[in-house]
Amino acid sequence: MHELSIALSMMDRIREESVRHSGTVRSAHVRIGVLSGVDSEALRFAWEMARAGSELEEAELEIESVPLRVRCPVCGVTRTAEIQSIACPHCVTPEQDIVEGREMELTALEIDS
Amino acid sequence: MTAQPRLVEVRSRILKENDVLARQLRERFQQAGVCVVSFVSSPGSGKTTFLEKLMAGLSARHRIAALVGDLATENDASRLGRACSQVRQITTGTICHLDAKMIAAAIEGWRLEELDFLFIENVGNLVCPSSYDLGEQMRVVLLSATEGEDKPLKYPTIFNTADVALITKMDLAAAAEFNLDEARRSILSVRPGMRILQVSAKTGEGIQETEAWVESLRAPQPKQHSDGYI
């Protein structure tokens, strides 16, 4: 489980961003793609451990899961795909361009001012 | 006055530090002309044995260094050290993956421009290494014939984020009733178009082909070595 490492990196990012906005961080919003290698449940669990006893103890974690979206380079169709069957169902082109699904980003902070 | 919570939009990659460092490493490797290939797989799928074999062949023609990650022991570094000029073990303690910072620390003091290849053997793990860019040029995922053919379906992310798949221990395929076609189908469904090589470190099957593929990754311009030969 590497989600604890991810949670600790997340705290670094939150600290970096929150110094620009005075106040207490109430929640941190993150987007986690299905192809990011991060499990949302494990991340929630790791977040509880990471924030305990820190100045971010009160900060809740809001996770938005991002499904895999691919674009077919041949027929141009963009669609949501299952990771186990990526090939284009319309023109059967196997290789698809990944549009979304690799995200692992901090997107917003809710701050008490 | 009651505090009004406000939503501040930020856009920051969580692993920004790792990604930035990995990009710097990639640039350093490119400038030095060293081709860096990393290897990921579950524990026991034959990374070290395969690398020993691969490096034994390549070391006659190239200068090779290796980094090898494990939670504990220096055993793998001792094994790989017999086949290459420089090797360093990265013991991660409890950490289940290598990251860019560990790579940067491990290559400190090495003269990269004197190397042709740097092979990085990641910690045996099919999940965690997929999130961390190490600055490598290519990532190879190994699947042994003694594992299930559907492993790529169970661990799709690591297969999807790798560039090439190696099916190892092909000498055991018959004994393990390994279905090669099914394994290939599994790999291609999560990573369509992926190059798949079949190897056996024991019989030597596919090793030459893999050597040729690895050599093809080097820059098209032959490098002028410091001792004069091209």
Side-chain angles (χ1 to χ4, degrees), chain B residues 64-114:
Chain B
I64 306 170
L67 296 174
V68 51
D70 278 299
L71 270 62
T73 84
E74 304 255 330
N75 296 350
D76 283 3
S78 312
R79 285 171 61 189
L80 294 182
R82 292 179 212 125
C84 66
S85 53
Q86 283 172 304
V87 63
R88 247 173 223 166
Q89 178 83 42
I90 304 174
T91 42
T92 60
T94 55
I95 313 265
C96 49
H97 57 269
L98 295 178
D99 63 26
K101 208 195 245 173
M102 296 178 199
I103 303 298
I107 59 169
E108 214 168 293
W110 279 4
R111 296 170 67 89
L112 294 176
E113 63 279 5
E114 291 178 3

Side-chain angles (χ1 to χ4, degrees), chain A residues 1-2 5-6 9-10 12-13 16-17 21-22 26 29-32 34-38 83-87 94-96 98 102 104-113, chain B residues 1-17 95-97 125 127-132 152-154 156-157 160-161 186 188-194:
Chain A
M1 182 177 123
H2 64 311
S5 307
I6 306 281
S9 297
M10 220 155 70
D12 292 340
R13 296 291 84 72
E16 259 174 32
E17 297 293 338
H21 314 279
S22 57
R26 290 289 164 215
H29 297 239
V30 296
R31 296 182 88 222
I32 301 295
V34 68
L35 271 185
S36 68
V38 175
I83 189 171
Q84 285 87 358
S85 51
I86 291 178
E95 288 169 68
Q96 303 284 294
I98 291 173
R102 291 202 197 278
M104 197 202 299
E105 54 181 15
L106 178 68
T107 55
L109 294 176
E110 198 181 359
I111 296 176
D112 267 355
S113 43
Chain B
M1 202 177 97
T2 319
Q4 289 296 315
R6 62 203 157 102
L7 199 63
V8 181
E9 242 187 84
V10 295
R11 261 211 128 66
S12 180
R13 290 193 315 277
I14 293 171
L15 292 182
K16 187 173 80 178
E17 258 167 58
I95 313 265
C96 49
H97 57 269
N125 184 325
V127 182
C128 310
S130 63
S131 300
Y132 291 85
L153 302 177
K154 292 175 176 165
T157 304
N160 186 277
T161 52
S186 299
L188 292 173
S189 68
V190 297
R191 181 72 153 89
M194 192 177 212

Side-chain angles (χ1 to χ4, degrees), chain B residues 116-144:
Chain B
D116 298 314
F117 290 103
L118 169 62
F119 295 131
I120 303 173
E121 182 185 329
N122 214 316
V123 178
N125 184 325
L126 276 182
V127 182
C128 310
S130 63
S131 300
Y132 291 85
D133 185 357
L134 304 179
E136 70 269 66
Q137 181 180 334
M138 279 277 158
R139 186 181 287 183
V140 177
V141 59
L142 285 76
L143 168 72
S144 64

Side-chain angles (χ1 to χ4, degrees), chain B residues 14-32:
Chain B
I14 293 171
L15 292 182
K16 187 173 80 178
E17 258 167 58
N18 187 81
D19 292 349
V20 168
L21 188 53
R23 199 164 54 227
Q24 288 167 354
L25 282 173
R26 190 167 284 116
E27 279 165 17
R28 266 179 75 188
F29 293 146
Q30 263 165 13
Q31 274 166 14

